Amino acid sequence: MRILALESSCDESAVAVLDADGGLLAHEVFSQIELHRLYGGVVPELASRDHVQRLLPLLRQVLTRAGTTPAELDAVAYTAGPGLVGALLTGAALARSLAFAWGVPALGVHHLEGHLLAPLLEAEPPPFPHVALLVSGGHTLLIEVRGIGAYRVLGQTRDDAAGEAFDKTAKLLGLPYPGGPALAQIAAQGRAGAFEFPRPMLDRPGLEFSFSGLKTAVLHAVRDQVLDDRLRADVARAVQEAIVECLCVKATRALEQTDCQVLTVSGGVGANRQLRATLSRVLAGRGARAYYPRPEFCTDNAAMIAVAGLARLQAGQHDDLAIGARAQWPLDTLESIA
Ligand code: KG4
Ligand code: ZN
């Protein structure tokens, strides 16, 4: 089976072709970062308009790179939610139309299931069952993954997502949009111990997170100070340490609670080097192991949508002719195909 996958849930237009035997044949991502930079965040209407312009040229490019023709495709998968509904509709309408024209089935994929299954794209995929730490701009979740579609949310954030915490504190430091990668980059030059920020919820049992207090803590720390590069780096280092420690402690606790030795890490923040280094060290000391997708499969992409779509199509699932797009879509309502 060979499938085409489209992703357009937020500010990345992405297309991929995945073959059940030959693996990932080609994938492309066009990021709208430049488009939204001026506004300091994603503007939904601009995102939708840009997807409309980008998706078809990307599709042509990917089909050429994959060395495949539409006649060789068995299905079309697309991100059906959760996400910005206008942005989702552009990919959903295109995917559904292509599938109709080519006479093949279409399937709407859950964006977070895509992130969860992204580690399966690597040469050494994680075994099931495992615990997933899904850390992106919109979500911070610990999930017990017993199989594809068999998800139990163990804990999540009460307020800001981890990526949001990176982005918002970066904005306070005057770093360029999007803040997460910029903050991570300068954190490497920060001095250890120059600042110490709170680690909320660590003193409490359970697997919930809270990151919204970090912004206030950073505001207090830099108030009345000259924001030069040295101060920025020191604060960035302390912010990153606080976020990484919260994620590591709770992820380790989730492994303990589920008596599991395997953790996967996905979503944009999963690309963070400090998070990877710390988690790998902590888990190695406990005889457990972390699996990561390569950084380009941590942030939004269509390869992960293809993996999730292929698994479900192979299990015989597909949608009717309706164009599906859901702004909200609880992960634990998905059908298990295990
Ligand atoms: O998964 P993603 O591309 O989009 C969502 O579905 O949200 O994640 C984007 C988030 C942003 O908040 C971005 O700042 C953050 O991931 N991010 C990072 C890094 N790379 C991306 N945060 C910290 N360190 C990074 N290296
Ligand atoms: Zn995402």
Side-chain angles (χ1 to χ4, degrees), residues 9-12 111-112 115 134-139 162-167 178-184 240 266-273 298-301 304:
S9 64
C10 191
D11 59 340
E12 265 91 27
H111 182 77
L112 297 186
H115 277 303
L134 203 172
V135 272
S136 68
H139 299 271
E164 227 175 331
F166 269 102
D167 295 343
L183 188 138
Q240 181 170 260
S266 57
V269 180
N272 186 275
R273 285 214 206 122
C298 283
T299 45
D300 289 348
N301 65 87
M304 69 184 195

Side-chain angles (χ1 to χ4, degrees), residues 9 17 28 54 58 86 95 151 175 194 203 286 295 329 336:
S9 64
V17 174
E28 284 294 331
R54 302 288 172 188
L58 274 181
Y151 310 126
L175 297 175
D203 51 345
R286 313 172 56 92
W329 187 0
S336 167

Side-chain angles (χ1 to χ4, degrees), residues 85-305:
V85 84
L88 288 166
L89 278 169
T90 64
L94 176 60
R96 248 274 130 257
S97 312
L98 290 172
F100 183 70
W102 296 342
V104 296
L107 179 78
V109 171
H110 195 292
H111 182 77
L112 297 186
E113 179 165 70
H115 277 303
L116 282 181
L117 301 184
L120 301 183
L121 285 159
E122 301 307 332
E124 215 188 321
F128 295 100
H130 57 249
V131 170
L133 173 66
L134 203 172
V135 272
S136 68
H139 299 271
T140 301
L141 289 159
L142 277 163
I143 300 162
E144 185 186 21
V145 181
R146 294 185 305 279
I148 295 176
Y151 310 126
R152 183 165 69 99
V153 176
L154 302 168
Q156 55 190 306
T157 182
R158 292 187 164 186
D159 39 61
D160 289 353
E164 227 175 331
F166 269 102
D167 295 343
K168 287 179 176 172
T169 49
K171 203 169 182 176
L172 290 176
L173 294 178
L175 297 175
Y177 170 86
L183 188 138
Q185 201 183 349
I186 64 161
Q189 281 89 52
R191 292 168 300 169
F195 290 93
E196 175 87 13
F197 294 120
R199 276 97 163 120
M201 317 288 290
L202 277 201
D203 51 345
R204 295 192 214 171
L207 298 171
E208 296 202 303
F209 303 92
S210 168
F211 292 111
S212 65
L214 258 182
K215 291 167 298 192
T216 325
V218 169
L219 256 184
H220 281 293
V222 300
R223 203 176 45 186
D224 310 327
Q225 300 220 46
V226 182
L227 253 187
D228 57 13
D229 286 350
R230 193 176 160 122
L231 181 73
R232 279 196 189 93
D234 289 346
V235 173
R237 176 171 174 149
V239 164
Q240 181 170 260
E241 277 172 1
I243 297 173
V244 165
E245 191 182 338
C246 291
L247 296 175
C248 283
V249 169
K250 298 277 169 158
T252 316
R253 205 177 280 174
L255 289 176
E256 264 166 30
Q257 283 185 13
T258 51
D259 196 20
C260 189
Q261 308 299 321
V262 181
L263 181 79
T264 66
V265 185
S266 57
V269 180
N272 186 275
R273 285 214 206 122
Q274 190 64 36
L275 174 65
R276 288 179 176 227
T278 313
L279 264 177
S280 294
R281 193 185 61 241
V282 170
L283 294 195
R286 313 172 56 92
R289 190 180 156 185
Y291 290 76
Y292 309 92
R294 70 197 82 163
E296 68 185 288
F297 295 152
C298 283
T299 45
D300 289 348
N301 65 87
M304 69 184 195
I305 302 303

